[in-house]
């Protein structure tokens, strides 16, 4: 059934679905609009097209997905939810709590998801013990991306401490390069803050501050130090950073205008899309001081409640496709993320992908796999947005580091 048929009366619809529960087209709301993201999305589109499931694209640009979530709310309020929606962490749980999501237990049981999806992801993909979304990947935010030729020219290796990292940005700046490529949007500043808070305080501190929302941690000297590190980063950003999209900041590293970008591993998708090769053209390493910790976010496709059998069949087919091991490999190789299941071979992944897979497994085993604050895996949207506001205001010079830590305590308390 195509969209136009939704206008038909219920009788005709009943007849049609009685004849066959042929999968409909899927309408997919997502924010994958950069070059690398679109290339990854194509892997999914083509996979579904191979099964005769058509694709109605509903892109809502804006990294981190805030704009997409606003559009989603309007669609659901109007009684017209899309079939499947790209979603992060606590947003999935919130929609489930509203009773808006469908149930994927049948396909999950048939395909054995319980045994292969890491527990940290199941915590978001299940609600009340029922599968409500299909995890397509695991990204992580505490990465740095570097132009290798720029570092070679400056005689620099991979910095292993925060101080070395600062010295490297200074050397790049002295040589007329931009030290740190950055786009001035709240979610991008928050993404850097994930790694910076880890580098300043370590995993236990990150957990106390962003997951437990402990006011003492939020207002501590360690948090003041994290804000001071943000000020240091701010001093290596170029003058035109305001409002710049993240993929344009990646492009500055790709073309050698800038030395580094702190960004989640979706940035790798941009490097690959530009034909660049890890270790040869670019380097990937953890924010210095955050090694051994992985702040993760998992893109999942949440399936909304739909009544037509054809739409349900399309949701089940899409969920099964997403979770197939071969798809998880093909998709994540392009996207920059790593698979959302533990049994996918590393063979097709590049050096950064293999590193990401190993580090994810190690962090899960060591208790240092922590949900990304910036990407909705540490707390609900209200708290996340409150943290965004303080981090971005401070980055833009509205508060000193000491004031920012105080503001953080107040903002989180109000949002809780
Ligand atoms: C993240 C998402 C990634 C990537 C990024 C930038 O929230 O998990 O898949 O799309 O935003 O758009």
């Amino acid at each position: 059934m195509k969209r136009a048929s939704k206008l038909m009366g219920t009788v005709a619809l009943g007849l049609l679905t009685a004849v066959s529960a042929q999968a409909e087209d899927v309408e997919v709301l997502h924010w994958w609009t950069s070059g690398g993201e679109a290339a990854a999305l194509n892997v999914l589109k083509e996979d579904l097209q191979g099964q005769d499931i058509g694709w109605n694209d509903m892109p809502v640009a804006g990294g981190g997905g805030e704009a997409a979530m606003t559009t989603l709310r309007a669609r659901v309020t109007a009684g017209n939810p899309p079939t499947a929606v790209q979603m992060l962490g606590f947003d999935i749980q919130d929609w489930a709590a509203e009773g808006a999501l469908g149930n994927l237990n049948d396909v999950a049981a048939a395909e054995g998801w319980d045994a292969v999806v890491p527990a940290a992801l199941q915590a978001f993909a299940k609600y009340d013990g029922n599968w409500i979304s299909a995890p397509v990947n695991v990204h992580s935010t505490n990465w740095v991306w570097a132009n290798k030729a720029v570092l070679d020219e400056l005689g620099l290796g991979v910095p292993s401490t925060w101080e070395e990292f600062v010295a490297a940005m200074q050397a790049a700046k002295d040589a007329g390069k931009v030290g740190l490529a950055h786009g001035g949007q709240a979610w991008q500043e928050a993404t850097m803050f994930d790694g910076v808070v880890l580098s300043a305080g370590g995993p236990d501190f990150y957990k106390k501050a962003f997951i437990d929302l402990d006011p003492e941690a939020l207002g501590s000297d360690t948090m003041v130090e994290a804000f001071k590190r943000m000020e240091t980063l701010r001093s290596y950003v170029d003058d035109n950073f305001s409002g710049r999209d993240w993929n344009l900041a990646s492009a500055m590293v790709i073309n050698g205008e800038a030395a580094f970008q702190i960004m989640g591993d979706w940035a790798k998708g941009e490097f690959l899309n530009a034909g660049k090769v890890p270790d040869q053209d670019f380097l990937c390493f953890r924010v210095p001081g955050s090694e051994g910790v992985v702040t993760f976010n998992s893109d999942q496709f949440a399936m909304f409640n739909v009544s037509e059998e054809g739409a349900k069949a399309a949701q089940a087919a899409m969920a099964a496709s997403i979770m197939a091991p071969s798809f998880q490999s093909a998709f994540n190789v392009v996207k920059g993320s790593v698979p959302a299941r533990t049994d996918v071979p590393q063979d097709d992944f590049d050096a950064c992908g293999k590193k990401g897979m190993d580090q994810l497994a190690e962090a899960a085993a060591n208790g240092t796999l922590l949900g990304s604050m910036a990407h909705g895996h540490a707390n609900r949207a209200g708290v996340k947005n409150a943290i965004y506001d303080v981090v971005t205001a401070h980055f833009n010079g509205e508060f000193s580091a000491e004031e920012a830590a105080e503001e953080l305590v107040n903002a989180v308390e109000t949002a809780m």
Side-chain angles (χ1 to χ4, degrees), residues 108-137:
E111 315 264 335
W113 293 4
D114 277 299
V116 293
V117 176
L121 269 51
Q122 290 197 26
F124 295 107
K126 278 179 162 181
Y127 183 77
D128 260 354
N130 297 313
W131 284 93
I132 46 166
S133 64
V136 68
N137 64 17

PDB file of all heavy atoms in Angstrom, residues 108-137:
ATOM      1  N   ALA A 108      12.304  -9.667  17.429  1.00  0.00           N
ATOM      2  CA  ALA A 108      13.470  -9.787  18.321  1.00  0.00           C
ATOM      3  C   ALA A 108      13.664 -11.235  18.765  1.00  0.00           C
ATOM      4  O   ALA A 108      14.800 -11.729  18.812  1.00  0.00           O
ATOM      5  CB  ALA A 108      13.298  -8.882  19.537  1.00  0.00           C
ATOM      6  N   ALA A 109      12.563 -11.903  19.066  1.00  0.00           N
ATOM      7  CA  ALA A 109      12.665 -13.309  19.509  1.00  0.00           C
ATOM      8  C   ALA A 109      13.118 -14.187  18.346  1.00  0.00           C
ATOM      9  O   ALA A 109      14.009 -15.032  18.495  1.00  0.00           O
ATOM     10  CB  ALA A 109      11.320 -13.778  20.052  1.00  0.00           C
ATOM     11  N   ALA A 110      12.510 -13.949  17.175  1.00  0.00           N
ATOM     12  CA  ALA A 110      12.850 -14.775  16.006  1.00  0.00           C
ATOM     13  C   ALA A 110      14.327 -14.629  15.647  1.00  0.00           C
ATOM     14  O   ALA A 110      14.969 -15.581  15.203  1.00  0.00           O
ATOM     15  CB  ALA A 110      11.966 -14.388  14.822  1.00  0.00           C
ATOM     16  N   GLU A 111      14.874 -13.439  15.856  1.00  0.00           N
ATOM     17  CA  GLU A 111      16.254 -13.181  15.444  1.00  0.00           C
ATOM     18  C   GLU A 111      17.244 -13.228  16.616  1.00  0.00           C
ATOM     19  O   GLU A 111      18.419 -12.924  16.440  1.00  0.00           O
ATOM     20  CB  GLU A 111      16.348 -11.817  14.748  1.00  0.00           C
ATOM     21  CG  GLU A 111      15.246 -11.561  13.719  1.00  0.00           C
ATOM     22  CD  GLU A 111      15.667 -11.890  12.284  1.00  0.00           C
ATOM     23  OE1 GLU A 111      16.868 -11.847  12.015  1.00  0.00           O
ATOM     24  OE2 GLU A 111      14.771 -12.190  11.480  1.00  0.00           O
ATOM     25  N   GLY A 112      16.763 -13.517  17.809  1.00  0.00           N
ATOM     26  CA  GLY A 112      17.653 -13.701  18.962  1.00  0.00           C
ATOM     27  C   GLY A 112      18.397 -12.450  19.417  1.00  0.00           C
ATOM     28  O   GLY A 112      19.554 -12.519  19.829  1.00  0.00           O
ATOM     29  N   TRP A 113      17.714 -11.307  19.405  1.00  0.00           N
ATOM     30  CA  TRP A 113      18.383 -10.051  19.784  1.00  0.00           C
ATOM     31  C   TRP A 113      18.911 -10.069  21.219  1.00  0.00           C
ATOM     32  O   TRP A 113      19.950  -9.479  21.506  1.00  0.00           O
ATOM     33  CB  TRP A 113      17.425  -8.861  19.653  1.00  0.00           C
ATOM     34  CG  TRP A 113      16.995  -8.529  18.249  1.00  0.00           C
ATOM     35  CD1 TRP A 113      17.295  -9.219  17.100  1.00  0.00           C
ATOM     36  CD2 TRP A 113      16.171  -7.428  17.856  1.00  0.00           C
ATOM     37  NE1 TRP A 113      16.701  -8.613  16.022  1.00  0.00           N
ATOM     38  CE2 TRP A 113      16.006  -7.516  16.458  1.00  0.00           C
ATOM     39  CE3 TRP A 113      15.557  -6.390  18.550  1.00  0.00           C
ATOM     40  CZ2 TRP A 113      15.246  -6.583  15.744  1.00  0.00           C
ATOM     41  CZ3 TRP A 113      14.806  -5.462  17.840  1.00  0.00           C
ATOM     42  CH2 TRP A 113      14.654  -5.563  16.443  1.00  0.00           C
ATOM     43  N   ASP A 114      18.151 -10.728  22.112  1.00  0.00           N
ATOM     44  CA  ASP A 114      18.539 -10.704  23.539  1.00  0.00           C
ATOM     45  C   ASP A 114      19.974 -11.142  23.758  1.00  0.00           C
ATOM     46  O   ASP A 114      20.669 -10.607  24.620  1.00  0.00           O
ATOM     47  CB  ASP A 114      17.611 -11.618  24.360  1.00  0.00           C
ATOM     48  CG  ASP A 114      16.327 -10.904  24.734  1.00  0.00           C
ATOM     49  OD1 ASP A 114      16.407  -9.882  25.429  1.00  0.00           O
ATOM     50  OD2 ASP A 114      15.248 -11.361  24.299  1.00  0.00           O
ATOM     51  N   ALA A 115      20.402 -12.117  22.958  1.00  0.00           N
ATOM     52  CA  ALA A 115      21.723 -12.707  23.183  1.00  0.00           C
ATOM     53  C   ALA A 115      22.865 -11.873  22.595  1.00  0.00           C
ATOM     54  O   ALA A 115      24.008 -12.035  23.009  1.00  0.00           O
ATOM     55  CB  ALA A 115      21.747 -14.111  22.583  1.00  0.00           C
ATOM     56  N   VAL A 116      22.574 -11.007  21.643  1.00  0.00           N
ATOM     57  CA  VAL A 116      23.676 -10.350  20.920  1.00  0.00           C
ATOM     58  C   VAL A 116      23.753  -8.828  21.078  1.00  0.00           C
ATOM     59  O   VAL A 116      24.765  -8.222  20.740  1.00  0.00           O
ATOM     60  CB  VAL A 116      23.621 -10.681  19.398  1.00  0.00           C
ATOM     61  CG1 VAL A 116      23.898 -12.162  19.172  1.00  0.00           C
ATOM     62  CG2 VAL A 116      22.299 -10.255  18.778  1.00  0.00           C
ATOM     63  N   VAL A 117      22.690  -8.219  21.584  1.00  0.00           N
ATOM     64  CA  VAL A 117      22.725  -6.752  21.753  1.00  0.00           C
ATOM     65  C   VAL A 117      23.285  -6.443  23.150  1.00  0.00           C
ATOM     66  O   VAL A 117      22.790  -6.973  24.143  1.00  0.00           O
ATOM     67  CB  VAL A 117      21.311  -6.145  21.584  1.00  0.00           C
ATOM     68  CG1 VAL A 117      21.336  -4.650  21.867  1.00  0.00           C
ATOM     69  CG2 VAL A 117      20.777  -6.416  20.177  1.00  0.00           C
ATOM     70  N   PRO A 118      24.346  -5.610  23.225  1.00  0.00           N
ATOM     71  CA  PRO A 118      24.933  -5.311  24.534  1.00  0.00           C
ATOM     72  C   PRO A 118      23.904  -4.739  25.510  1.00  0.00           C
ATOM     73  O   PRO A 118      23.005  -3.991  25.099  1.00  0.00           O
ATOM     74  CB  PRO A 118      26.001  -4.249  24.213  1.00  0.00           C
ATOM     75  CG  PRO A 118      26.257  -4.361  22.757  1.00  0.00           C
ATOM     76  CD  PRO A 118      25.011  -4.912  22.125  1.00  0.00           C
ATOM     77  N   ALA A 119      24.080  -5.081  26.782  1.00  0.00           N
ATOM     78  CA  ALA A 119      23.125  -4.661  27.816  1.00  0.00           C
ATOM     79  C   ALA A 119      22.937  -3.141  27.830  1.00  0.00           C
ATOM     80  O   ALA A 119      21.822  -2.644  28.013  1.00  0.00           O
ATOM     81  CB  ALA A 119      23.611  -5.133  29.181  1.00  0.00           C
ATOM     82  N   ALA A 120      24.030  -2.393  27.597  1.00  0.00           N
ATOM     83  CA  ALA A 120      23.940  -0.925  27.640  1.00  0.00           C
ATOM     84  C   ALA A 120      22.966  -0.404  26.583  1.00  0.00           C
ATOM     85  O   ALA A 120      22.345   0.642  26.760  1.00  0.00           O
ATOM     86  CB  ALA A 120      25.324  -0.313  27.429  1.00  0.00           C
ATOM     87  N   LEU A 121      22.833  -1.122  25.476  1.00  0.00           N
ATOM     88  CA  LEU A 121      21.905  -0.712  24.412  1.00  0.00           C
ATOM     89  C   LEU A 121      20.490  -1.201  24.699  1.00  0.00           C
ATOM     90  O   LEU A 121      19.505  -0.504  24.418  1.00  0.00           O
ATOM     91  CB  LEU A 121      22.379  -1.262  23.061  1.00  0.00           C
ATOM     92  CG  LEU A 121      23.306  -0.368  22.244  1.00  0.00           C
ATOM     93  CD1 LEU A 121      24.473   0.117  23.048  1.00  0.00           C
ATOM     94  CD2 LEU A 121      23.771  -1.098  20.993  1.00  0.00           C
ATOM     95  N   GLN A 122      20.406  -2.409  25.259  1.00  0.00           N
ATOM     96  CA  GLN A 122      19.078  -2.952  25.587  1.00  0.00           C
ATOM     97  C   GLN A 122      18.367  -2.047  26.587  1.00  0.00           C
ATOM     98  O   GLN A 122      17.135  -1.941  26.571  1.00  0.00           O
ATOM     99  CB  GLN A 122      19.202  -4.359  26.179  1.00  0.00           C
ATOM    100  CG  GLN A 122      19.640  -5.397  25.157  1.00  0.00           C
ATOM    101  CD  GLN A 122      19.372  -6.827  25.606  1.00  0.00           C
ATOM    102  OE1 GLN A 122      18.488  -7.088  26.404  1.00  0.00           O
ATOM    103  NE2 GLN A 122      20.145  -7.760  25.066  1.00  0.00           N
ATOM    104  N   ALA A 123      19.158  -1.374  27.436  1.00  0.00           N
ATOM    105  CA  ALA A 123      18.562  -0.483  28.437  1.00  0.00           C
ATOM    106  C   ALA A 123      17.720   0.606  27.768  1.00  0.00           C
ATOM    107  O   ALA A 123      16.775   1.118  28.354  1.00  0.00           O
ATOM    108  CB  ALA A 123      19.654   0.147  29.290  1.00  0.00           C
ATOM    109  N   PHE A 124      18.059   0.955  26.533  1.00  0.00           N
ATOM    110  CA  PHE A 124      17.289   1.980  25.820  1.00  0.00           C
ATOM    111  C   PHE A 124      16.310   1.376  24.809  1.00  0.00           C
ATOM    112  O   PHE A 124      15.292   1.973  24.497  1.00  0.00           O
ATOM    113  CB  PHE A 124      18.239   2.954  25.111  1.00  0.00           C
ATOM    114  CG  PHE A 124      19.078   3.740  26.085  1.00  0.00           C
ATOM    115  CD1 PHE A 124      20.433   3.474  26.240  1.00  0.00           C
ATOM    116  CD2 PHE A 124      18.501   4.722  26.878  1.00  0.00           C
ATOM    117  CE1 PHE A 124      21.199   4.188  27.155  1.00  0.00           C
ATOM    118  CE2 PHE A 124      19.261   5.443  27.801  1.00  0.00           C
ATOM    119  CZ  PHE A 124      20.609   5.170  27.943  1.00  0.00           C
ATOM    120  N   ALA A 125      16.628   0.199  24.283  1.00  0.00           N
ATOM    121  CA  ALA A 125      15.815  -0.411  23.221  1.00  0.00           C
ATOM    122  C   ALA A 125      14.637  -1.205  23.757  1.00  0.00           C
ATOM    123  O   ALA A 125      13.792  -1.658  22.989  1.00  0.00           O
ATOM    124  CB  ALA A 125      16.693  -1.316  22.358  1.00  0.00           C
ATOM    125  N   LYS A 126      14.582  -1.390  25.082  1.00  0.00           N
ATOM    126  CA  LYS A 126      13.474  -2.129  25.689  1.00  0.00           C
ATOM    127  C   LYS A 126      12.783  -1.234  26.709  1.00  0.00           C
ATOM    128  O   LYS A 126      13.436  -0.457  27.400  1.00  0.00           O
ATOM    129  CB  LYS A 126      14.016  -3.345  26.441  1.00  0.00           C
ATOM    130  CG  LYS A 126      14.298  -4.549  25.580  1.00  0.00           C
ATOM    131  CD  LYS A 126      14.852  -5.642  26.469  1.00  0.00           C
ATOM    132  CE  LYS A 126      14.770  -7.003  25.828  1.00  0.00           C
ATOM    133  NZ  LYS A 126      15.309  -8.010  26.772  1.00  0.00           N
ATOM    134  N   TYR A 127      11.470  -1.392  26.785  1.00  0.00           N
ATOM    135  CA  TYR A 127      10.720  -0.673  27.813  1.00  0.00           C
ATOM    136  C   TYR A 127       9.773  -1.673  28.452  1.00  0.00           C
ATOM    137  O   TYR A 127       9.087  -2.397  27.724  1.00  0.00           O
ATOM    138  CB  TYR A 127       9.938   0.484  27.176  1.00  0.00           C
ATOM    139  CG  TYR A 127       9.190   1.331  28.180  1.00  0.00           C
ATOM    140  CD1 TYR A 127       9.863   2.266  28.962  1.00  0.00           C
ATOM    141  CD2 TYR A 127       7.818   1.179  28.357  1.00  0.00           C
ATOM    142  CE1 TYR A 127       9.189   3.040  29.887  1.00  0.00           C
ATOM    143  CE2 TYR A 127       7.132   1.950  29.281  1.00  0.00           C
ATOM    144  CZ  TYR A 127       7.823   2.879  30.044  1.00  0.00           C
ATOM    145  OH  TYR A 127       7.140   3.658  30.966  1.00  0.00           O
ATOM    146  N   ASP A 128       9.764  -1.754  29.764  1.00  0.00           N
ATOM    147  CA  ASP A 128       8.923  -2.739  30.454  1.00  0.00           C
ATOM    148  C   ASP A 128       9.183  -4.148  29.939  1.00  0.00           C
ATOM    149  O   ASP A 128       8.257  -4.948  29.786  1.00  0.00           O
ATOM    150  CB  ASP A 128       7.435  -2.410  30.213  1.00  0.00           C
ATOM    151  CG  ASP A 128       6.837  -1.685  31.396  1.00  0.00           C
ATOM    152  OD1 ASP A 128       7.533  -1.547  32.420  1.00  0.00           O
ATOM    153  OD2 ASP A 128       5.665  -1.267  31.280  1.00  0.00           O
ATOM    154  N   GLY A 129      10.416  -4.438  29.581  1.00  0.00           N
ATOM    155  CA  GLY A 129      10.761  -5.780  29.105  1.00  0.00           C
ATOM    156  C   GLY A 129      10.429  -6.041  27.642  1.00  0.00           C
ATOM    157  O   GLY A 129      10.719  -7.119  27.120  1.00  0.00           O
ATOM    158  N   ASN A 130       9.815  -5.074  26.946  1.00  0.00           N
ATOM    159  CA  ASN A 130       9.461  -5.258  25.531  1.00  0.00           C
ATOM    160  C   ASN A 130      10.409  -4.493  24.619  1.00  0.00           C
ATOM    161  O   ASN A 130      10.751  -3.346  24.909  1.00  0.00           O
ATOM    162  CB  ASN A 130       8.040  -4.743  25.270  1.00  0.00           C
ATOM    163  CG  ASN A 130       7.012  -5.524  26.052  1.00  0.00           C
ATOM    164  OD1 ASN A 130       7.030  -6.752  26.072  1.00  0.00           O
ATOM    165  ND2 ASN A 130       6.121  -4.812  26.732  1.00  0.00           N
ATOM    166  N   TRP A 131      10.782  -5.122  23.508  1.00  0.00           N
ATOM    167  CA  TRP A 131      11.620  -4.423  22.519  1.00  0.00           C
ATOM    168  C   TRP A 131      10.788  -3.358  21.805  1.00  0.00           C
ATOM    169  O   TRP A 131       9.713  -3.655  21.279  1.00  0.00           O
ATOM    170  CB  TRP A 131      12.163  -5.412  21.482  1.00  0.00           C
ATOM    171  CG  TRP A 131      13.296  -6.254  22.002  1.00  0.00           C
ATOM    172  CD1 TRP A 131      13.197  -7.488  22.572  1.00  0.00           C
ATOM    173  CD2 TRP A 131      14.694  -5.923  21.998  1.00  0.00           C
ATOM    174  NE1 TRP A 131      14.454  -7.943  22.934  1.00  0.00           N
ATOM    175  CE2 TRP A 131      15.386  -7.007  22.587  1.00  0.00           C
ATOM    176  CE3 TRP A 131      15.419  -4.809  21.562  1.00  0.00           C
ATOM    177  CZ2 TRP A 131      16.775  -7.014  22.744  1.00  0.00           C
ATOM    178  CZ3 TRP A 131      16.808  -4.815  21.720  1.00  0.00           C
ATOM    179  CH2 TRP A 131      17.470  -5.910  22.304  1.00  0.00           C
ATOM    180  N   ILE A 132      11.296  -2.127  21.796  1.00  0.00           N
ATOM    181  CA  ILE A 132      10.551  -1.025  21.177  1.00  0.00           C
ATOM    182  C   ILE A 132      11.340  -0.328  20.078  1.00  0.00           C
ATOM    183  O   ILE A 132      10.820   0.510  19.363  1.00  0.00           O
ATOM    184  CB  ILE A 132      10.165   0.038  22.238  1.00  0.00           C
ATOM    185  CG1 ILE A 132      11.393   0.342  23.108  1.00  0.00           C
ATOM    186  CG2 ILE A 132       8.978  -0.441  23.060  1.00  0.00           C
ATOM    187  CD1 ILE A 132      11.263   1.558  23.942  1.00  0.00           C
ATOM    188  N   SER A 133      12.641  -0.660  19.950  1.00  0.00           N
ATOM    189  CA  SER A 133      13.425  -0.041  18.879  1.00  0.00           C
ATOM    190  C   SER A 133      14.539  -0.984  18.456  1.00  0.00           C
ATOM    191  O   SER A 133      14.902  -1.916  19.189  1.00  0.00           O
ATOM    192  CB  SER A 133      13.995   1.311  19.331  1.00  0.00           C
ATOM    193  OG  SER A 133      14.902   1.133  20.384  1.00  0.00           O
ATOM    194  N   ALA A 134      15.048  -0.720  17.258  1.00  0.00           N
ATOM    195  CA  ALA A 134      16.113  -1.544  16.688  1.00  0.00           C
ATOM    196  C   ALA A 134      17.396  -0.719  16.638  1.00  0.00           C
ATOM    197  O   ALA A 134      17.472   0.278  15.912  1.00  0.00           O
ATOM    198  CB  ALA A 134      15.721  -1.995  15.282  1.00  0.00           C
ATOM    199  N   PRO A 135      18.417  -1.088  17.421  1.00  0.00           N
ATOM    200  CA  PRO A 135      19.663  -0.322  17.439  1.00  0.00           C
ATOM    201  C   PRO A 135      20.495  -0.557  16.189  1.00  0.00           C
ATOM    202  O   PRO A 135      20.802  -1.701  15.858  1.00  0.00           O
ATOM    203  CB  PRO A 135      20.401  -0.820  18.680  1.00  0.00           C
ATOM    204  CG  PRO A 135      19.728  -2.074  19.107  1.00  0.00           C
ATOM    205  CD  PRO A 135      18.422  -2.208  18.386  1.00  0.00           C
ATOM    206  N   VAL A 136      20.858   0.518  15.521  1.00  0.00           N
ATOM    207  CA  VAL A 136      21.559   0.371  14.244  1.00  0.00           C
ATOM    208  C   VAL A 136      23.076   0.501  14.430  1.00  0.00           C
ATOM    209  O   VAL A 136      23.845   0.006  13.604  1.00  0.00           O
ATOM    210  CB  VAL A 136      20.997   1.380  13.209  1.00  0.00           C
ATOM    211  CG1 VAL A 136      21.316   2.802  13.558  1.00  0.00           C
ATOM    212  CG2 VAL A 136      21.455   1.072  11.807  1.00  0.00           C
ATOM    213  N   ASN A 137      23.500   1.129  15.531  1.00  0.00           N
ATOM    214  CA  ASN A 137      24.943   1.349  15.690  1.00  0.00           C
ATOM    215  C   ASN A 137      25.303   1.701  17.131  1.00  0.00           C
ATOM    216  O   ASN A 137      24.420   1.864  17.969  1.00  0.00           O
ATOM    217  CB  ASN A 137      25.418   2.485  14.770  1.00  0.00           C
ATOM    218  CG  ASN A 137      24.799   3.835  15.119  1.00  0.00           C
ATOM    219  OD1 ASN A 137      24.267   4.032  16.213  1.00  0.00           O
ATOM    220  ND2 ASN A 137      24.867   4.775  14.203  1.00  0.00           N
TER     221      ASN A 137
END
